[in-house]
């Protein structure tokens, strides 16, 4: 028993190390491309398109050039790229804004705000013109309102700020902003104020390596536990199959394609009229795409999402495009999953075949995201299995 558990743990470690080595080797090959080139999936480097041009067709073989075409009016690309589409120029249509630089194929349109307003960015592509702040009574201006900078004000000398108001009042007692009213006539005693110096705190220096050791140990125990659990699960399944009694009469198994898996139907040598009424209907194992995607987005760790879609075959170009088109992280991840689902076979416009979901779960298990894989499997695969019975 202990030897089998040890073998299972060693096998898991070897698999994870082999995947890491393959990934490093692949990345090393890609790094050999120049800055003006990109990695072609066929196994060689292609030249990028110049600013103002988008990629129309990749280079078909080594020492050939990519086919590029100029961006349409109202769009731009301001750097070397291999994008399929150009970015749309922003519009200077906000109140109190005007255009200072037009949109070209190599540069975005530049907008500024009218005098008395400053440019405030809301996100990567959105902005608004906010009215400049005006200094109140008892204040003076330290920074002028200009460009993306709002006005900054400070209280005049011997004035203090009034809480909740944009004004300052003259000092009449010792308080914040009134240092001249806080001068004490009693001489300062340096002996009383002196405090013994304490040695540097060594507690953080001890806690950091201890916490690191605990984390590594916990991770090792978790991987060992999951490996043993999967091994036991497979062993129980094999033992249950081997221990099940064979039927006395001859059994026939009906098999269908994976996209529409049906329950295996066993029947004995009985008349055809009796058997035809007992055969169950074929229930396709298909899942609605939007339900599956939103469940995955809630379960999947954000920090490992790109690794997942890369393993599923989504290209770096489609990942970058999803992040450019969707500033919201969840929307960008949804678009990456949509690219993956569209690249597969089977299903329909709004459904995902069973075998694609099974591949998704197997990929999560290869990434050691066992809990996430189990939750998705219990939510969709187990329900489809039960539905077919």
């Amino acid at each position: 028993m202990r030897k089998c558990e040890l073998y299972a743990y060693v096998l898991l470690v070897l698999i994870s190390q082999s995947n890491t080595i393959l990934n490093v080797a692949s990345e090393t090959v890609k790094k050999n491309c120049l800055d003006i080139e990109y990695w072609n999936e066929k196994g060689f480097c292609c030249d990028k398109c110049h600013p103002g041009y988008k990629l129309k067709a990749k280079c078909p073989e080594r020492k050939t050039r990519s086919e590029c075409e100029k961006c349409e009016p109202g769009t731009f690309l301001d750097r070397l790229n291999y994008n399929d589409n150009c970015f749309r120029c922003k519009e200077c249509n906000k109140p109190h804004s005007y255009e200072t630089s037009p949109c070209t194929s190599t540069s975005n349109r530049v907008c500024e705000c009218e005098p008395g307003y400053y440019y405030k960015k809301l996100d990567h592509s959105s902005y608004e013109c906010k009215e400049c702040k005006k200094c109140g009574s008892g204040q003076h201006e330290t920074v002028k309102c200009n460009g993306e900078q709002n006005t900054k004000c400070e209280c005049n000398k011997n004035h203090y700020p009034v809480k909740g108001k944009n004004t300052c009042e003259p000092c009449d007692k010792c308080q914040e902003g009134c240092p001249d009213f806080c001068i004490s006539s009693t001489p300062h005693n340096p002996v009383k104020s002196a405090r013994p110096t304490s040695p540097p705190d060594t507690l953080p220096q001890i806690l950091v390596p201890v916490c690191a050791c605990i984390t590594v140990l916990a991770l090792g125990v978790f991987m060992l536990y999951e490996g043993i659990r999967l091994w036991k699960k497979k062993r129980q399944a094999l033992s249950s199959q081997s221990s099940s009694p064979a039927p006395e009469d001859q059994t026939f198994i009906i098999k269908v394609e994976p996209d529409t898996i049906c329950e295996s139907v066993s029947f004995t040598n009985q008349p055809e009229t009796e058997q035809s009424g007992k055969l169950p209907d074929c229930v396709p194992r298909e899942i609605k795409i939007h339900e599956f995607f939103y469940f995955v987005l809630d379960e999947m760790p954000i920090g490992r999402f790109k690794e997942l879609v890369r393993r599923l075959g989504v290209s770096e170009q489609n990942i970058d495009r999803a992040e450019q088109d969707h500033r919201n992280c969840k929307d960008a991840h949804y678009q990456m999953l949509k690219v993956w689902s569209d690249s597969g076979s089977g299903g329909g416009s709004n459904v995902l075949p069973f075998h694609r979901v099974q591949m998704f779960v197997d990929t999560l298990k290869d990434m050691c995201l066992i809990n996430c894989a189990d939750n998705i499997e219990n939510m969709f695969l187990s329900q489809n299995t039960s539905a077919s019975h």
Side-chain angles (χ1 to χ4, degrees), residues 158 171-186:
N158 292 331
C171 297
D172 57 357
K173 61 180 178 179
C174 178
Q175 59 188 41
E176 183 183 357
C178 303
D180 294 343
F181 287 77
C182 301
I183 299 175
S184 175
S185 59
T186 305

Side-chain angles (χ1 to χ4, degrees), residues 127-195:
Y127 71 97
E128 65 177 348
C129 289
K130 298 280 290 184
E131 186 175 4
C132 295
K133 176 183 175 182
K134 296 181 180 179
C135 296
S137 175
Q139 296 180 338
H140 63 276
E141 184 178 280
T142 58
V143 177
K144 290 186 177 182
C145 181
N146 187 23
E148 299 182 13
Q149 178 65 58
N150 193 7
T151 307
K152 290 187 178 181
C153 305
E154 288 185 0
C155 290
N156 296 332
K157 187 176 181 180
N158 292 331
H159 284 68
Y160 66 95
V162 179
K163 188 175 182 181
K165 296 182 180 180
N166 187 31
T167 59
C168 296
E169 295 291 339
C171 297
D172 57 357
K173 61 180 178 179
C174 178
Q175 59 188 41
E176 183 183 357
C178 303
D180 294 343
F181 287 77
C182 301
I183 299 175
S184 175
S185 59
T186 305
H188 179 65
N189 189 354
V191 178
K192 292 183 179 180
S193 62
R195 296 181 180 178

Side-chain angles (χ1 to χ4, degrees), residues 11-165:
L11 181 61
L12 288 173
V13 173
L14 291 176
I15 292 174
S16 63
Q17 291 295 329
S18 63
N19 289 336
T20 302
I21 293 172
L22 290 175
N23 291 335
V24 171
S26 177
E27 291 298 325
T28 302
V29 173
K30 293 181 181 180
K31 288 180 180 179
N32 291 333
C33 294
L34 302 176
D35 292 338
I36 60 173
E37 298 175 329
Y38 67 94
W39 179 253
N40 192 330
E41 293 79 2
K42 295 181 180 180
F44 51 87
C45 298
C46 285
D47 62 306
K48 295 181 180 178
C49 295
H50 291 288
Y53 290 81
K54 63 182 180 180
L55 180 66
K56 184 177 181 181
K58 298 180 179 179
C59 57
E61 56 187 18
R62 298 178 186 272
K63 297 183 179 179
T64 59
R65 299 189 65 82
S66 302
E67 184 178 356
C68 304
E69 63 179 4
K70 192 171 183 179
C71 293
E72 300 83 4
T75 62
F76 76 101
L77 283 171
D78 57 355
R79 64 191 66 184
L80 292 172
N81 68 92
Y82 55 101
N83 293 346
D84 293 334
N85 295 289
C86 302
F87 299 125
R88 185 174 300 278
C89 292
K90 68 179 177 180
E91 300 292 337
C92 298
N93 54 3
K94 301 295 183 180
H96 308 289
S97 66
Y98 62 95
E99 178 181 306
T100 58
S101 180
C103 171
T104 67
S105 61
T106 58
S107 63
N108 196 1
R109 181 178 285 108
V110 179
C111 304
E112 290 187 4
C113 297
E114 298 174 354
Y117 296 83
Y118 70 97
Y119 188 97
K120 182 179 181 181
K121 287 185 178 180
L122 301 179
D123 55 32
H124 180 76
S125 59
S126 181
Y127 71 97
E128 65 177 348
C129 289
K130 298 280 290 184
E131 186 175 4
C132 295
K133 176 183 175 182
K134 296 181 180 179
C135 296
S137 175
Q139 296 180 338
H140 63 276
E141 184 178 280
T142 58
V143 177
K144 290 186 177 182
C145 181
N146 187 23
E148 299 182 13
Q149 178 65 58
N150 193 7
T151 307
K152 290 187 178 181
C153 305
E154 288 185 0
C155 290
N156 296 332
K157 187 176 181 180
N158 292 331
H159 284 68
Y160 66 95
V162 179
K163 188 175 182 181
K165 296 182 180 180

Side-chain angles (χ1 to χ4, degrees), residues 149-363:
Q149 178 65 58
N150 193 7
T151 307
K152 290 187 178 181
C153 305
E154 288 185 0
C155 290
N156 296 332
K157 187 176 181 180
N158 292 331
H159 284 68
Y160 66 95
V162 179
K163 188 175 182 181
K165 296 182 180 180
N166 187 31
T167 59
C168 296
E169 295 291 339
C171 297
D172 57 357
K173 61 180 178 179
C174 178
Q175 59 188 41
E176 183 183 357
C178 303
D180 294 343
F181 287 77
C182 301
I183 299 175
S184 175
S185 59
T186 305
H188 179 65
N189 189 354
V191 178
K192 292 183 179 180
S193 62
R195 296 181 180 178
T197 57
S198 57
D201 190 4
T202 58
L203 184 59
Q205 300 177 4
I206 299 175
L207 286 178
V208 171
V210 172
C211 292
C213 292
I214 294 175
T215 303
V216 173
L217 181 61
L219 182 60
V221 172
F222 174 76
M223 292 180 62
L224 178 61
Y225 168 76
E226 289 296 330
I228 295 173
R229 185 178 67 83
L230 292 175
W231 175 77
K232 287 183 177 179
K233 186 176 179 181
K234 292 182 179 179
R235 191 184 66 172
Q236 290 176 359
L238 292 174
S239 62
S240 62
Q241 292 178 2
S242 60
S243 61
S244 58
E248 296 179 357
D249 298 325
Q250 186 179 2
T251 301
F252 299 88
I253 305 300
I254 301 176
K255 298 182 178 180
V256 297
E257 293 298 327
D259 286 348
T260 54
I261 300 177
C262 304
E263 181 183 7
S264 297
V265 183
S266 301
F267 57 93
T268 57
N269 297 327
Q270 296 180 358
E272 182 179 357
T273 57
E274 295 180 5
Q275 292 295 335
S276 60
K278 296 181 181 179
L279 290 175
D281 294 333
C282 182
V283 181
R285 298 185 178 181
E286 296 175 330
I287 296 99
K288 290 183 178 180
I289 285 179
H290 69 275
E291 295 179 359
F292 178 77
F293 284 1
Y294 283 118
F295 186 85
V296 170
L297 292 176
D298 291 336
E299 291 290 328
M300 185 69 192
I302 295 178
R304 303 195 65 187
F305 199 92
K306 287 187 180 180
E307 178 188 354
L308 170 64
V309 295
R310 289 189 184 105
R311 286 173 179 259
L312 292 175
V314 180
S315 66
E316 291 293 331
Q317 180 177 349
N318 286 324
I319 293 174
D320 294 340
R321 178 63 188 277
E323 291 181 333
Q324 288 283 352
D325 291 346
H326 303 280
R327 301 307 169 191
N328 183 279
C329 180
K330 194 169 186 179
D331 291 342
H333 290 173
Y334 185 100
Q335 182 62 27
M336 297 175 194
L337 292 175
K338 188 69 170 64
V339 172
W340 165 73
S341 68
D342 292 342
S343 65
S345 61
S349 59
N350 295 317
V351 295
L352 198 63
F354 170 81
H355 73 278
R356 298 279 289 170
V357 179
Q358 184 64 57
M359 180 184 72
F360 193 97
V361 172
D362 294 340
T363 303

